[in-house]
Amino acid sequence: MTSHRTGRRSRRSLMLALAVSMTLCANPFTATAQEPEPTGATGPNEVTFPTRTLGLGPDIEFRGNSDIVTLTVPVPDGNTPAFLDTTAQLPTNIARGSIDVTSDGRLLTRVELPAGGDIVPLSIPLAGAKVENDAAVISLDLSLSAVDNICPQDWTLGSVRLRDGVVRYAGTPTLPSVVADFLPPVLERLELYLTEGPTDAESTVALDLAADVTARYSGRQVPVDVRELPPNGIPPAADSPFVRQIVVREGEDTGVELGAVPDGPPALYVRGDAETLLDQGHLVNSILSGLAVGSDVAVGAFDVAPVLAPDSTTLYDLRVSDLETSGLGIADVHLFLDQAEFGRPVRDVAIDLKGSYTPLPAAQGGLITVSAGDVQLDAWAADASGVIDRVVTVPNSSLGRLTDITVALRTTGSQQQCGLQQPVTLSIDGNSRVSSTVADPPVPVGFPSLPQTLMPQLNVATAGRTLVDVGRAVELVAGLQSLTTRPLDPTWVSIDDALTSSAPALVVAANGVLPERLQSELPLVRTEDRRFEVRNADGESTSLTFGTEVDFASLQVVRDDGRTVLVATSTDVPEELDRTIDWLSAEPGRWFELDGSVLFTAPDRDPIALVDPQTQDRDVDAASSGTNSTVTAVVVAGVALLVVGAAGAAVWAITRRRRPQSR
């Protein structure tokens, strides 16, 4: 009997995905711990990817003395999985252990684990795994025996961990010859080529492609670059077979075409006039793309209607998977509720929880608990019925962008020799209904309210109409999209249209030139060369006056007339804004970890999020108060420390005054 919890671990790992470089090798049927090939080495007919690049996360965790983890490994056309190279972190009290590697019900190999416990390099052969639909489903079945056959209690929550994995593939990747095969199972980088003065239609298609492609590779945070198209209309050769290049051109010709690029993979040319260009761009990642089995195809007009969020839905509809688990002494299911999957910011969440569990023998007792993070929501004794039918309410104070609802069955009573005790199984019905209401303002506030407050449609505007500005907007949209599998729907508009519309917006003003209405709503502004003003949620403001002029860049989250506006700006130092955007994309998880309402970047310093503890404490009340969600005067100390470090000694004075609250 084994424990199945792959989805839980993979979902958690999705928050930490990142694209990195590549390499590879061959394989035997049985294996023992051995030195893996160095990551990054290359050779003929070889390629490697870190597991986090493949959407599997950096670590693979097992529980107890017997557990199964199932991996869905993407496989590029022309390649086959050869090895999983990793570092195994083993418990100290192992007498013996092994990992059986299976695919499609067939044993591929058995890897013996050393006794005594240690941190050892491990190379797990994967040759022979069945590849179907560009992926190989591989199960790792762990079996451990402890010293003296006693099951250590510390194995219950974690026994073996495989860290920093790298998958090595055999073979040579096949380059696409038809539009349907343009996007590979593994993508290192997407390059979008536009002319220096992109049109509204070209800019919208670039934004849309960034969102669609990033959503397709959910959990991997694929870099998206906007580049200037050379005069000859052909991009330079990509530096890897796993880089894809798309040329977006508005003109009289209409269609999508694969075009040869000397010494590189073919590029995709998306063409059309102002009315048809977006439809052609939609084809790249739409349900129709699989039908594009030619190198040149045009699609007719089709509308992608925004998906409106219902008040009641199911766990399955929220993409909650891994709803059954087994274990010794404890079985727990994690229901990760993602506000973006609701399609809106939510509050007053209730789950009509239905499921089942293994009825316990008379010699054992049991307790079922439901928790949101560290907060226990409900608990009741396990009985002989083995049925779960309970309505659980999630307090607004426990809601995050991603809320971990844990349903756990813990047993007590008689224990048997290690390996003989029967595990218990806990199952939650995916048709369990989840009800909610829209939160205005959102819960939580600030960066954790993104991207759910930017749905169902997002307006994007920049202060300038240059390729560089479009590139900044595209990178920001890609970063926001990396937070969810649900595609954003960005549309290029003017700043005036962005401010007069009721739709949420992303505004990029690298030169700091913003309309007065928006400037007055920002939590942090420089009112003079040497003075900062920091505004709080209650309409109060605090000013800092420095001895020298201080520049900075920022990302700021604003609530404006019941909608969210994300503002990317600077004090006319666009290079600092670029550094901020680069910093966000440089490490996996940085977008997800942002807190507060301001990301502040001073020259020669790393960006820092300015967080107001009072605003965090008042998240519950904020959903009904109607006040603006911004940083308070608590932030002043952080700003002062940052700026003093960048600008030298500062002389500052603080004044408070009441400003009108936003409605």
Side-chain angles (χ1 to χ4, degrees), residues 299-322:
V299 64
F302 65 93
D303 293 327
V304 181
V307 179
L308 301 180
D311 292 334
S312 178
T313 186
T314 68
L315 291 174
Y316 280 147
D317 290 337
L318 294 173
R319 300 178 188 258
V320 176
S321 59
D322 189 34

Side-chain angles (χ1 to χ4, degrees), residues 408-423:
L409 168 63
R410 289 175 170 81
T411 64
T412 60
S414 65
Q415 302 290 320
Q416 301 184 43
Q417 188 180 24
C418 189
L420 299 180
Q421 183 179 347
Q422 292 298 308

Side-chain angles (χ1 to χ4, degrees), residues 266-306:
L268 191 71
Y269 291 80
V270 178
R271 304 184 181 99
D273 59 25
E275 301 298 323
T276 62
L277 187 62
L278 184 58
D279 291 327
Q280 309 312 308
H282 277 152
L283 175 65
V284 176
N285 196 43
S286 76
I287 58 174
L288 299 179
S289 63
L291 302 178
V293 291
S295 61
D296 187 357
V297 63
V299 64
F302 65 93
D303 293 327
V304 181

